[in-house]
Amino acid sequence: MKSILLSLIFIFLATGCKGENSIPQTSETIKISPSPAVSQEVSSTDPVSSGEVEMQKLTLKSPVFEESKAIPSKYTSDGENISPPLTWSEVPKGAKSLALISDDPDSPMGTWVHWVVYNIPPTATGLPEKILQTEKLPDGTLQGLSDFKKTGYCGPCPPAGTHHYFFKLYALDILLPDKPGLTKSGLESLMNGHILAQGELVGLYKRKK
């Protein structure tokens, strides 16, 4: 009996009162698991702020130029300056609308915006060649302002060297306000936190001397 009592006293002294900031020995590390629907990786190239979930991927292509290949001059300021045809797939079921931004990060004046399109129906699988330069298309698609201060598409017109032209497609979980004439920054602000998936196509262009 005496030995048992001594053992209890020893255990009490070894595990006695601790300060408020002490961590129990039975829980050295507390791990918080993310929600099963959340990925810990984040793309740094989309307009979603840091900490958002990783985007699903959309497949964006054009029948007139391949990824990282030259854009035909027909679709530039040296040609007809009309919008190129685009096709896409893998739009998630929950999408309520699609949006497209085309810009040139190689511009000496900073990233130059060539095309802003939004409220594209989620059932659409592409855009045809030569989209009208109007604020609203028959299917409800809206077009915003490029950095040329014009509605609709304005093609490549690099001052020198080869420039990269990004076509970025976004699937959104909302239909944006029926407000044509948005700029890229205005559109990105409305899209923030509503992007379900995105895809990208890059074309190159260098003006002939």
Side-chain angles (χ1 to χ4, degrees), residues 18-204:
K18 300 179 183 292
E20 291 181 358
N21 296 325
S22 298
I23 301 175
Q25 297 297 315
T26 56
S27 57
E28 295 180 357
T29 303
I30 301 175
K31 295 182 179 180
I32 302 176
S33 299
S35 168
V38 177
S39 168
Q40 298 183 45
E41 296 182 5
V42 180
S43 170
S44 61
T45 58
D46 61 68
V48 180
S49 60
S50 177
E52 297 287 346
V53 300
E54 181 183 18
M55 296 297 103
Q56 299 179 44
K57 302 297 182 183
L58 298 171
T59 300
L60 178 61
K61 297 181 179 180
S62 176
V64 296
F65 68 92
E66 297 180 357
E67 171 67 26
S68 298
K69 300 296 183 181
I71 298 173
S73 60
K74 176 181 180 179
Y75 307 100
T76 75
S77 62
D78 294 325
E80 297 179 38
N81 206 17
I82 58 175
S83 62
L86 299 170
T87 62
W88 55 74
S89 59
E90 312 301 327
V91 176
K93 292 182 179 180
K96 298 295 193 298
S97 67
L98 303 171
L100 179 78
I101 295 173
S102 180
D103 55 26
D104 167 20
D106 300 321
S107 170
M109 299 178 65
T111 299
W112 193 262
V113 181
H114 287 261
W115 202 11
V116 176
V117 194
Y118 48 103
N119 278 359
I120 304 169
T123 53
T125 57
L127 291 173
E129 179 183 86
K130 198 176 181 179
I131 293 291
L132 296 176
Q133 292 180 307
T134 56
E135 292 186 334
K136 191 169 187 177
L137 301 176
D139 64 357
T141 295
L142 300 177
Q143 296 193 93
L145 292 175
S146 68
D147 280 344
F148 294 96
K149 307 304 179 185
K150 294 181 179 180
T151 299
Y153 177 83
C154 288
C157 186
T162 300
H163 285 216
H164 296 72
Y165 295 89
F166 287 74
F167 293 80
K168 295 170 284 189
L169 180 69
Y170 304 94
L172 310 179
D173 64 3
I174 60 171
L175 182 67
L176 298 176
D178 188 7
K179 182 180 178 181
L182 290 175
T183 61
K184 173 187 171 181
S185 61
L187 174 57
E188 288 181 338
S189 178
L190 292 175
M191 291 195 302
N192 189 33
H194 295 286
I195 300 175
L196 298 175
Q198 68 181 60
E200 184 176 277
L201 174 66
V202 181
L204 310 179

